Structures are given as C-alpha cells and as structure tokens.
Amino acid sequence: QSVLTQPPSTSGTPGQRVSISCSGSSSNIGTNTVNWYQQLPGTAPKLLIYSNNQRPSGVPDRFSGSKSGTSASLAISGLQSEDEADYYCAAWDDGLNGVVFGGGTKLTVL
Amino acid sequence: EVQLLESGGGLGQPGGSLRLSCEASGFTFSSYAMTWVRQAPGKGLEWVSAIRGTGSRTYYADSVKGRFTISRDNSKNTVYLEMNTLRAEDTAVYYCAKDRFGYPGDAGFDYWGQGTLVTVSS
C-alpha cells in the first residue's frame, strides 16, 4: 500500500481534459512539493512536473500540476494517444526521511 | 547530454549479494544527489536509497535499511548499490536517477537510467 494515494486508472478520449489526483498527509504533500512522472510502456520514468506546477524543458504545456493542502493534481488537456502511460506522484516525507510515491495511475486514451 | 548507465543486475540467490553500478556522464556528478528507485514486475515505483552529492549522507527506505548500502565515487562518476541478504521481494528493475539538487529532497529526479533487472530466486 502506497503512502500517496492515486486512482488506479482513468481514461479519456482524444482532445478531452483529464485529471489525476494524489492524496497524502502533513508529513509529505502538506509540507513538501510534489513531482509527477510519466512512464510510457516499457520505458524508464520521465519527470513531467516538479515543484508542484513547474514543467521541465520539453514538456508540453498541455500538462499542468497543482497542490492544495495535502493533495495534488495533474491535469492533461487536449489528450493525445501518445499520452497513454502510467503517471506517478511523488513527494519527500519528513517522517520517513525519504521519497514516497503514489501507486500510479494508468491513463487509457480511448 | 546526460546519460546514466546501470549495470550489475542479474540472478541473485536468496540471502546472497549483488552490486549495482550506475555510471553518469554529461553533468558535474559531484554537484548532485543520486537515487535508486525500483519497480517490481507489474508494480509501481518504490524509492530505495539516496546519497548526497558530496557522499556525506545516505538515506534508505525501511524495506532495505540494514541490507543495502549506497555509495559513490565522484572520481569515477559512479554510484553504487550494494545489496546484501537478498530476498525474493527485492526482485525488480532498479533505476538510477539524478536529483535536481545536491541533496535528496522534494526537488525531483530529472534524469533516469534505463534500469537493470535484479531477480532473486534459487
């Protein structure tokens, strides 16, 4: 069971907007920033969002992140077939003194 | 171009040992913390261990504390994960990742290696 809670799956049609939630606690999301990773099938994870809402160079602005209290959210607008992947949230946990991940959300583009 | 190349994976015996290596290039290695993340077959990501850029402090997940040791050789741009007392549940792809800062925290991992598979079985 993961420290951060994400829905196991979500889906959308091309062009649609989808959102993935990530719920934590005061020791992780409540006091530290959240990062999001995208893992395409058979590949290594890739940093998608850092510091709650910052995009690394090369990440389309269709991807956005937000945080409020002990929860965070990743939004993907203008959904494309190549967005089909697993998405993970992560944050530093002050109590565990390490990084905790969400269980991952599998996004299916219908 | 940043590159991270893991090696050392393979078949390990329960109770046995393996040593993973991750050779880095394309950035000032000693300025950044390095982290190991693993992914069991069909499962999600699990943070395993991290080490500061200077090597002065290390961090471990409870699941590996006392069994795994992370270290780095900044003269060789390489980070290691010594895995002892292996268990079946250590079976996973192990990724080496570069932290965005010199110390582990919530900055995120901006580059990842391709991963190396560790299988623990008799």
Side-chain angles (χ1 to χ4, degrees):
Chain A
Q1 189 165 340
S2 303
V3 174
L4 304 182
T5 301
Q6 297 180 236
S9 63
T10 190
S11 63
T13 55
Q16 195 174 15
R17 173 186 167 97
V18 297
S19 182
I20 299 173
S21 62
C22 176
S23 177
S25 68
S26 58
S27 64
N28 42 66
I29 295 178
T31 50
N32 297 300
T33 62
V34 177
N35 306 303
W36 289 89
Y37 300 90
Q38 176 193 58
Q39 187 174 32
L40 297 170
T43 70
K46 166 191 167 184
L47 181 63
L48 197 63
I49 297 286
Y50 67 92
S51 298
N52 301 328
N53 55 18
Q54 301 298 302
R55 285 186 307 277
S57 174
V59 173
D61 60 6
R62 302 187 295 104
F63 295 90
S64 61
S66 63
K67 185 186 106 167
S68 178
T70 59
S71 294
S73 184
L74 172 71
I76 309 172
S77 60
L79 200 61
Q80 300 180 2
S81 58
E82 54 261 41
D83 298 333
E84 190 160 285
D86 293 323
Y87 292 85
Y88 295 90
C89 59
W92 183 264
D93 190 292
D94 291 339
L96 296 174
N97 211 28
V99 173
V100 290
F101 283 97
T105 299
K106 182 176 182 61
L107 170 64
T108 301
V109 181
L110 302 170
Chain B
E1 179 193 6
V2 172
Q3 290 193 335
L4 300 172
L5 187 61
E6 301 101 334
S7 61
L11 180 63
Q13 299 280 330
S17 299
L18 281 175
R19 188 197 200 199
L20 305 183
S21 300
C22 172
E23 185 174 358
S25 61
F27 62 100
T28 305
F29 185 68
S30 60
S31 295
Y32 296 93
M34 296 296 294
T35 290
W36 288 95
V37 175
R38 69 185 181 183
Q39 185 170 35
K43 302 297 184 181
L45 302 175
E46 179 187 13
W47 177 85
V48 174
S49 182
I51 186 168
R52 290 189 177 185
T54 60
S56 59
R57 189 172 173 183
T58 57
Y59 307 75
Y60 297 95
D62 287 342
S63 58
V64 306
K65 200 170 295 183
R67 300 188 300 122
F68 290 10
T69 301
I70 190 171
S71 62
R72 65 191 295 158
D73 184 338
N74 286 345
S75 69
K76 295 183 178 178
N77 287 359
T78 301
V79 61
Y80 306 97
L81 186 68
E82 184 77 35
M83 308 165 62
N84 296 319
T85 319
L86 286 168
R87 303 169 180 168
E89 53 264 37
D90 294 323
T91 294
V93 173
Y94 285 72
Y95 294 102
C96 160
K98 171 189 168 291
D99 283 62
R100 290 181 56 246
F101 292 163
Y103 51 88
D106 60 356
F109 313 127
D110 53 358
Y111 291 94
W112 297 64
Q114 84 289 348
T116 186
L117 177 62
V118 170
T119 303
V120 181
S121 175
S122 56

